[in-house]
Amino acid sequence: MELLSGAEMLIRALHDQGITKIYGYPGGSVLHIYDALFQQQDIQHILVRHEQAATHMADAYARATGKAGVALVTSGPGATNAITGIATAYCDSIPMVVITGQVPSHLIGEDAFQETDMIGISRPIVKHSFSVKHPSEIPGIVKKAFHIAESGRPGPVVIDVPKDMTNPTDKFEYVFPKTVKMRSYNPVTKGHSGQIKKAFDLLINAKRPIIYAGGGVIIGRACDELVELAKTLNYPVTNTLMGLGGYPGTDRQSVGMLGMHGSYEANMTMHHSDMIFAVGVRFDDRVTNGLEKFCPTAKIVHIDIDPTSISKNIRADVPIVGPAKAVLQEFLKLLKASKVKPDTEAHKAWWHQIDDWRTRHGGRFLTDDSELMKPQQVIQMLSKVTNGDAYVCSDVGQHQMFAAQYYKFNKPNRWINSGGLGTMGFGFPAAMGIKVNFPDADVACVTGEGSIQMNIQELSTCSQYDIPVKIICLNNGSLGMVRQWQDMNYESRHSHSYMESLPDFVKLVEAYGHVGMRVEKYADLEGAMREAFAMKDRLVFMDIIVDPKEHVYPMQIPRGAMRDMLLSKTERT
Amino acid sequence: MRHILSVLLENEPGALSRVVGLFSQRNFNIETLTVAATDDPTLSRITITTTGVDKVVEQITKQLNKLVDVVKVVDLTEGDHIERELMMVKYKATGAARDEIKRTADIFRGQIIDITPTTYVVQLVGSSKKLDAFMEALDTSQLIEVVRTGVSGIARGEKTLSV
């Protein structure tokens, strides 16, 4: 029988769970845990400079691997600083376990120093949370936390640990459970076969089909099944912002991203379709545009593991609750056995129409004679220099949309962005979280001069642990997306959307021991970017000056149908 | 439309707050809520009355089911069911009002469970509608205080809500 303190149990349980890296920041309530960390070799701890960054690092690891990342923070401000990161993971269904310190049990409720009700504060943005009541519960709670975080529709789980639960002198028997059984939590493992048959009839008989695939395909590891289904049927595929890379972006059948800033062809194909095969998506308001005008001629098959996502915004004709992978495998079986064949004549006409849309407006932007670089050109160059194979970790704003539109992702788990919550400051720590786990990969943080300053302190963490990410800062001297909306809706009154007193980013990163570059001309871009990526062991910050007047297009017209789009400052559909 | 939802959930600290939080967080309406442990002390049973169109109530049921602590949810109003609520009402009871309150309480099969020279407390059990009717039957000028438990409900016949 092995006796361990609560602190030792926590670290041991993480190790038994297969965790090798955690991200965190110490403080009073977690000192026992940090002492236990100090006395072992199995788990590497990465010290960030702000707790938000710890959660984003853990989150990015999860986005790339599907396994829960772990953050460790102290009580009070440590815990509240983690909230934005927890909410970010929650909105994108990312598995994560966040361990927060708490004041000792006898002080809870006394307004003690660095006390906050973390269970209460985090309640609306966690999949579940645990408060430790006895040290011997710790291994079981850790096991359950990972099970809940990673299964079903994944999400973040908080474990709140009062300091006395980790007291080094109170030792108890350590038993790490092999399995988890919870009567109140049993996520579905397969779809309803009757519903799948009904949906298959719609799928195989569709004349103007489209497959609408989201983040659920990636987190549910169903990309191979999706590709096989789409390829066998020869149906067009559109990806959501969260689903990019779930279907190869350079494939002929890909019509690109859909939604507010989706491609012309994706939104047109959706609008005119007679069958939408939706998998791992939630008909988000940034996708559907006006609900009343949504795809008037389409029958909708909706596959999702979370029943609350189905018929929440758009009513599904055939709802299927189940994991994307298992459900798509059933469809593949039916397809192989099917006597009814897809209507290739109808599909030929449909493809003709889609290709026409594609050639009319596909993926273009206007360059002018000015010296100023267009942000789209920078993303295209990034795609070229990294062969479309880098991990691209984006911040939030115009640069995020340009990256989503112009970087062609051919593999899943490579596009790391805060889609649901839209967290500025996410990109840089996310890139760090990827780089420490995939040291040989090219990792780019696509950001702007606004977003990067929301977690720029992490340049210090990168110095400490040698994390050589490449920061591609599209510097337009203003909060571009805010400015775009102000241009369009507020007669260009740029209320607080421009950045006065920007730092000299080159000098700033040099102060932290990194490499800085400033690029002002398109002619210099390729050389500079190749040089940056050739410096395998150095963090390089590329401060790239781009046209501040550029808008993101297409842009759906509010409350319109999916096909109602602005295509440039002067054209609309 | 009014719905009565019965929820079985783990009798854990914080479980109730997750249920209540869900309603405010998602802008769902909540009219009454009762909660207590069941014969199995590890389980609590909540009865919630809410109003909403079918689509909203469907979301409420799905969202409740999604909470990790929730074991089971049924909408009692989908089938035959019994609902009861307990109410205690304190009246100024002097002069003619003393008899009037007694008479009305008898008609509604209520009991007077506390008496002072100037007050009565009437206890009444029944459906929410019956309780409302009693309140309307008596002159409100005599009314001092009302407390209602909220609705508890159970399905009729063989149907049960258990693990």
Side-chain angles (χ1 to χ4, degrees):
Chain A
M1 192 171 82
E2 194 178 10
L3 295 178
L4 296 179
S5 73
E8 290 163 338
M9 284 194 195
L10 189 61
I11 301 304
R12 179 72 68 82
L14 291 176
H15 174 61
D16 285 345
Q17 186 62 43
I19 296 299
T20 56
K21 285 187 176 63
I22 65 174
Y23 318 91
Y25 205 102
S29 295
V30 286
L31 283 175
H32 296 326
I33 302 171
Y34 271 84
D35 195 48
L37 258 179
F38 189 84
Q39 299 179 50
Q40 55 84 54
Q41 306 297 326
D42 297 323
I43 292 177
Q44 187 199 1
H45 175 272
I46 292 174
L47 174 71
V48 292
R49 299 300 180 265
H50 185 289
E51 288 87 349
Q52 186 188 345
T55 54
H56 292 331
M57 287 183 80
D59 169 317
Y61 164 78
R63 287 174 200 254
T65 62
K67 289 186 274 186
V70 180
L72 169 62
V73 301
T74 193
S75 64
T80 56
N81 279 348
I83 287 289
T84 300
I86 297 171
T88 304
Y90 182 74
C91 289
D92 290 339
S93 312
I94 304 303
M96 180 158 85
V97 173
V98 179
I99 299 160
T100 57
Q102 184 54 276
V103 299
S105 307
H106 72 277
L107 288 179
I108 291 179
E110 306 272 317
D111 301 321
F113 176 66
Q114 294 198 329
E115 181 191 357
T116 55
D117 172 13
M118 184 56 177
I119 297 290
I121 291 175
S122 65
R123 198 206 65 238
I125 50 163
V126 294
K127 184 168 173 190
H128 197 56
S129 50
F130 293 94
S131 179
V132 179
K133 303 287 181 209
H134 191 276
S136 63
E137 295 175 351
I138 289 175
I141 287 178
V142 169
K143 182 81 185 177
K144 274 187 190 167
F146 278 88
H147 172 63
I148 293 170
E150 292 176 350
S151 60
R153 179 177 180 176
V157 175
V158 163
I159 306 177
D160 201 40
V161 189
K163 190 172 185 181
D164 51 320
M165 297 297 122
T166 56
N167 199 330
T169 56
D170 298 339
K171 303 215 175 204
F172 300 90
E173 188 184 355
Y174 175 83
V175 186
F176 191 68
K178 289 197 173 65
T179 54
V180 184
K181 202 168 157 37
M182 296 173 74
R183 63 179 169 187
S184 64
Y185 178 74
N186 297 291
V188 286
T189 53
K190 60 195 208 36
H192 187 281
S193 57
Q195 291 292 90
I196 292 175
K197 283 202 187 81
K198 254 203 253 174
F200 183 76
D201 280 346
L202 288 179
L203 180 73
I204 198 83
N205 290 309
K207 311 280 186 228
R208 302 186 310 279
I210 183 159
I211 298 172
Y212 156 34
V217 172
I218 294 174
I219 204 90
R221 297 173 209 212
C223 302
D224 292 346
E225 287 78 5
L226 176 76
V227 171
E228 191 182 339
L229 189 72
K231 283 277 156 202
T232 314
L233 289 164
N234 188 32
Y235 284 4
V237 181
T238 181
N239 284 119
T240 65
L241 178 67
M242 293 308 299
L244 292 175
Y247 189 85
T250 55
D251 186 86
R252 185 190 63 87
Q253 281 168 246
S254 169
V255 292
M257 182 172 76
L258 82 171
M260 181 178 275
H261 292 299
S263 72
Y264 175 76
E265 57 268 33
N267 287 343
M268 292 300 273
T269 308
M270 281 289 285
H271 182 85
H272 292 93
S273 66
D274 70 346
M275 197 270 331
I276 296 171
F277 189 79
V279 47
V281 296
R282 58 190 176 95
F283 291 84
D284 177 76
D285 56 272
R286 286 295 192 267
V287 162
T288 57
N289 208 5
L291 293 178
E292 309 75 36
K293 296 178 186 164
F294 180 78
C295 303
T297 52
K299 290 270 182 207
I300 294 166
V301 173
H302 190 177
I303 302 161
D304 202 276
I305 197 160
D306 180 359
T308 69
S309 288
I310 294 177
S311 298
K312 181 172 67 181
N313 300 334
I314 297 287
R315 207 185 70 81
D317 293 287
V318 186
I320 300 168
V321 178
K325 192 179 185 75
V327 173
L328 290 183
Q329 281 169 349
E330 290 303 310
F331 276 99
L332 287 170
K333 269 191 226 160
L334 290 177
L335 186 58
K336 283 191 185 108
S338 174
K339 292 203 179 70
V340 185
K341 297 294 166 201
D343 185 345
T344 45
E345 276 308 303
H347 298 157
K348 215 167 149 187
W350 184 226
W351 271 114
H352 185 74
Q353 172 68 77
I354 294 168
D355 287 336
D356 183 47
W357 285 324
R358 200 169 353 216
T359 46
R360 259 200 282 169
H361 288 282
R364 59 147 193 205
F365 54 91
L366 308 171
T367 47
D368 49 36
D369 301 335
S370 73
E371 289 268 292
L372 283 169
M373 246 180 290
K374 297 287 175 184
Q376 299 94 324
Q377 292 179 300
V378 181
I379 303 298
Q380 283 181 332
M381 186 61 76
L382 179 66
S383 197
K384 181 178 167 194
V385 167
T386 58
N387 301 314
D389 206 28
Y391 286 89
V392 177
C393 304
S394 176
D395 261 309
V396 169
Q398 284 186 323
H399 61 267
Q400 177 188 26
M401 292 300 115
F402 290 133
Q405 291 175 331
Y406 291 93
Y407 198 99
K408 297 297 174 197
F409 294 93
N410 281 325
K411 291 180 188 163
N413 308 97
R414 296 289 168 114
W415 166 239
I416 312 288
N417 90 123
S418 168
L421 194 68
T423 307
M424 289 173 71
F426 172 81
F428 180 30
M432 293 159 59
I434 299 291
K435 190 65 182 172
V436 294
N437 285 289
F438 300 92
D440 299 329
D442 281 332
V443 181
C445 164
V446 172
T447 186
E449 81 296 320
S451 284
I452 191 66
Q453 292 192 84
M454 284 212 186
N455 264 323
I456 200 156
Q457 76 286 345
E458 297 308 319
L459 286 167
S460 171
T461 308
C462 292
S463 314
Q464 183 176 351
Y465 296 97
D466 294 325
I467 309 175
V469 300
K470 308 296 177 245
I471 299 173
I472 311 298
C473 180
L474 304 187
N475 187 343
N476 59 3
S478 68
L479 303 176
M481 192 58 93
V482 173
R483 184 189 160 118
Q484 174 168 344
W485 282 59
Q486 289 171 336
D487 284 341
M488 296 167 81
N489 302 324
Y490 300 91
E491 296 165 333
S492 296
R493 290 186 297 277
H494 296 146
S495 178
H496 299 271
S497 59
Y498 63 99
M499 287 283 201
E500 286 175 324
S501 14
L502 280 178
D504 179 335
F505 286 113
V506 173
K507 276 192 191 151
L508 181 74
V509 299
E510 283 172 358
Y512 282 102
H514 305 306
V515 179
M517 293 178 175
R518 186 175 164 94
V519 185
E520 296 178 0
K521 292 200 192 83
Y522 183 65
D524 300 334
L525 182 65
E526 181 165 4
M529 207 178 264
R530 288 197 185 281
E531 193 189 336
F533 279 93
M535 285 187 261
K536 295 281 176 204
D537 301 330
R538 302 299 299 277
L539 183 151
V540 183
F541 187 111
M542 298 189 73
D543 187 19
I544 303 170
I545 310 306
V546 297
D547 184 355
K549 294 204 171 67
E550 192 64 16
H551 286 178
V552 181
Y553 292 110
M555 181 168 182
Q556 281 176 336
I557 296 162
R559 293 175 291 283
M562 286 213 69
R563 67 172 169 186
D564 298 328
M565 288 169 269
L566 300 168
L567 300 169
S568 72
K569 285 181 185 173
T570 54
E571 302 158 274
R572 53 166 295 170
T573 52
Chain B
M1 200 188 135
R2 178 166 174 270
H3 291 256
I4 304 173
L5 304 176
S6 266
V7 184
L8 270 188
L9 81 166
E10 297 288 351
N11 191 3
E12 299 265 356
L16 177 63
S17 75
R18 290 180 212 275
V19 172
V20 176
L22 178 72
F23 277 76
S24 60
Q25 174 192 337
R26 294 198 177 263
N27 214 3
F28 297 148
N29 171 291
I30 190 164
E31 288 188 348
T32 74
L33 177 139
T34 63
V35 56
T38 63
D39 56 319
D40 174 352
T42 65
L43 284 173
S44 294
R45 178 158 172 162
I46 298 181
T47 310
I48 296 168
T49 56
T50 182
T51 49
V53 296
D54 287 352
K55 191 184 162 193
V56 172
V57 175
E58 183 188 327
Q59 260 300 308
I60 294 176
T61 310
K62 284 174 169 179
Q63 293 286 356
L64 281 170
N65 262 313
K66 194 169 143 181
L67 293 176
V68 170
D69 283 331
V70 168
V71 185
K72 261 187 191 169
V73 183
V74 291
D75 184 346
L76 289 178
T77 31
E78 279 178 358
D80 278 348
H81 65 282
I82 305 155
E83 59 162 295
R84 289 292 181 270
E85 191 177 353
L86 183 145
M87 172 170 76
M88 290 184 276
V89 200
K90 188 177 285 183
Y91 285 104
K92 215 185 308 163
T94 50
R98 247 175 133 76
D99 279 351
E100 175 62 17
I101 294 166
K102 174 77 171 71
R103 261 198 307 277
T104 314
D106 286 345
I107 293 167
F108 279 85
R109 291 169 210 264
Q111 290 123 26
I112 294 174
I113 55 172
D114 184 62
I115 299 182
T116 70
T118 54
T119 63
Y120 276 163
V121 174
V122 179
Q123 170 187 293
L124 195 62
V125 176
S127 69
S128 302
K129 274 191 180 154
K130 175 178 163 179
L131 270 46
D132 293 342
F134 177 79
M135 295 298 295
E136 281 162 23
L138 275 169
D139 180 5
T140 51
S141 66
Q142 306 298 316
L143 181 68
I144 300 172
E145 191 179 349
V146 187
V147 55
R148 294 171 72 148
T149 57
V151 173
S152 281
I154 197 163
R156 284 186 187 272
E158 302 281 313
K159 263 192 174 173
T160 54
L161 175 62
S162 56
V163 180

